[in-house]
Amino acid sequence: HVYAATAFGSEHQTTRGCLDALMDIDSISPEKPVRVLDVGTGAGILALAAAKLWPGSRIVAVGIDDEAVLVARQNAADNGVEKQITAALSDGYQSAVVQQNAPYDVILANILARPLIAMAGDMAKNLKKGGYAVISGFIDNQTDWVVGEHEKYGLKLKRLYEKDNWRAALLEKDND
C-alpha cells in the first residue's frame, strides 16, 4: 500500500535501520510514545510504521517537497491512519504545525548527514527530556561527525544500526 515512486522506498538500508530503531523504542520506552515527529517524511513510511506500532500516537510528518507531502497523505489514507498523521510542508522544524505540537516523545529524521547536522540543535529543542530520536541517512565514515554533533545538544547514542555502508542511530535526550 505504499507508493514510493517519488521518495526513498521502504527497502532502502536507512529505512530498514530506522524501522529497527522504532521496534527498539517500542521495547525500551516505559510508556508508548504519543507525540511523534517525522522530519523529511518522504513517502511517509516511518510515520506509517509509527502509527501502526503506536495506535494512540499523533504524528506530524513534514517535508520540503509538495509532492512528497501529498504522497505521505495518500499513503496514510490508504493504510487507514490518516486520523493519526498530519502531513505538512515544513523546512525542518520551522513550520507552525511542528512548533505547536512540540515537545515530541519521538523524532524521526531519515535525511542526509549535512541537514541532520544543521538541524541537531532544533531536534534537541523539540524533543522532550527522556525522549528518543532516530537519525539516518549517513554513511559509516560520517557517523562520528553526525552523532557527535547531536551529543553536543544532550542527545546520547543508545544504539547504532549498520546496513551495508549506511547507518542509523537511536539517541536518547538527557533527563537533566
Side-chain angles (χ1 to χ4, degrees), residues 58-118:
R58 306 283 303 138
I59 299 146
V60 176
V62 296
I64 52 173
D65 175 69
D66 282 311
E67 190 175 357
V69 170
L70 292 174
V71 170
R73 252 182 224 146
Q74 187 59 53
N75 285 336
D78 290 347
N79 287 276
V81 290
E82 67 277 10
K83 288 187 170 47
Q84 271 176 274
I85 298 175
T86 302
L89 218 51
S90 182
D91 184 3
Y93 297 80
Q94 304 314 312
S95 75
V97 69
V98 171
Q99 294 176 7
Q100 285 156 5
N101 289 284
Y104 296 91
D105 302 318
V106 173
I107 298 179
L108 312 166
N110 183 9
I111 41 181
L112 290 166
R114 287 183 192 283
L116 282 171
I117 283 169

Side-chain angles (χ1 to χ4, degrees), residues 3 36 45-47 49 60-61 87 96 98 119 146 161:
Y3 305 99
V36 178
I45 303 209
L46 298 180
V60 176
V98 171
M119 293 190 270
V146 174
Y161 304 83

Side-chain angles (χ1 to χ4, degrees), residues 115-165:
L116 282 171
I117 283 169
M119 293 190 270
D122 285 335
M123 173 176 270
K125 211 182 327 181
N126 285 279
L127 188 62
K128 76 168 195 188
K129 287 180 179 179
Y132 295 98
V134 176
I135 57 172
S136 192
F138 53 96
I139 54 174
D140 180 33
N141 66 8
Q142 297 172 322
T143 303
D144 292 348
W145 182 47
V146 174
V147 172
E149 190 63 27
H150 288 78
E151 286 173 336
K152 288 180 193 169
Y153 295 97
L155 298 172
K156 284 205 178 74
L157 180 64
K158 296 278 289 182
R159 186 161 174 209
L160 194 64
Y161 304 83
E162 303 184 1
K163 307 278 181 193
D164 300 325
N165 197 33

Side-chain angles (χ1 to χ4, degrees), residues 40-59:
T41 192
I45 303 209
L46 298 180
L48 290 176
K52 296 286 188 183
L53 199 53
W54 305 309
S57 65
R58 306 283 303 138
I59 299 146

Side-chain angles (χ1 to χ4, degrees), residues 20-65:
D20 288 349
L22 281 176
M23 299 304 287
D24 282 346
I25 292 169
D26 191 53
S27 60
I28 61 178
S29 181
E31 63 260 345
K32 298 293 175 221
V34 177
R35 282 184 292 192
V36 178
L37 173 64
D38 182 11
V39 179
T41 192
I45 303 209
L46 298 180
L48 290 176
K52 296 286 188 183
L53 199 53
W54 305 309
S57 65
R58 306 283 303 138
I59 299 146
V60 176
V62 296
I64 52 173
D65 175 69

